[in-house]
Amino acid sequence: MQRTMTLLFAGLLLGAAALLAGCADDGGSSQSPASPSSTGSSVEAPLTDLQVSIRADGAVESAHYRLVCDGDAPLPESQHPNAAKACELVQATPALLASPKPGVNDACTMQYGGPAVGVVSGTLDGRVVNREFNVRDGCGISDWDAAVPLLVEMPSLQ
């Protein structure tokens, strides 16, 4: 019984080695199958493709922009009024678009900046983004202020 198990195990190891050797051999080709020159039609998606929606009154959309960037450079399909600065911002500080994690140690001033809400959604470096900004307290005001090149302007107090 033990001899049979040993032979079976040895056969499995040889099979796995043969499979791995076959996967490692690319047949002498130096191109990857997904490269544009091998398929002729592959186009890479932009690294950043974001929708920016502003609701100045907190309810009704008052502005909407699309931001499309390759690194820190805006692409022609961007509809953002300050695309160059917005692309530079998201490239330099991608953590700005991570949703804040509320915690017991967060200390925010009770300063009210108004009902304005900004929502940024889409993709950044292949990661899904869905970040809401508001000015309901000091932490929200600080976050919005840091994102002004992307959100276009700080909403006025009303």
Side-chain angles (χ1 to χ4, degrees), residues 13-120:
L13 282 176
L14 285 174
L19 181 63
L20 288 173
C23 290
D25 182 22
D26 68 356
S29 171
S30 62
Q31 286 186 318
S32 68
S35 68
S37 59
S38 66
T39 62
S41 64
S42 177
V43 177
E44 278 190 43
L47 295 176
T48 301
D49 191 349
L50 300 172
Q51 301 290 326
V52 180
S53 174
I54 306 298
R55 298 187 312 260
D57 67 358
V60 178
E61 185 174 78
S62 54
H64 186 92
Y65 311 108
R66 181 176 182 211
L67 179 68
V68 185
C69 311
D70 184 5
D72 64 356
L75 295 178
E77 52 267 38
S78 287
Q79 302 159 337
H80 193 283
N82 200 355
K85 285 191 179 189
C87 287
E88 289 172 9
L89 175 72
V90 297
Q91 182 68 30
T93 56
L96 183 66
L97 295 178
S99 292
K101 308 237 185 302
V104 295
N105 293 330
D106 291 345
C108 301
T109 63
M110 299 310 300
Q111 177 181 4
Y112 181 69
V117 174
V119 177
V120 180

Side-chain angles (χ1 to χ4, degrees), residues 125-150:
D125 292 332
R127 292 183 315 273
V128 174
V129 170
N130 193 9
R131 170 71 153 91
E132 181 176 300
F133 293 86
N134 65 65
V135 290
R136 293 184 193 121
D137 62 23
C139 292
I141 292 169
S142 178
D143 287 350
W144 190 298
D145 191 43
V148 161
L150 178 61

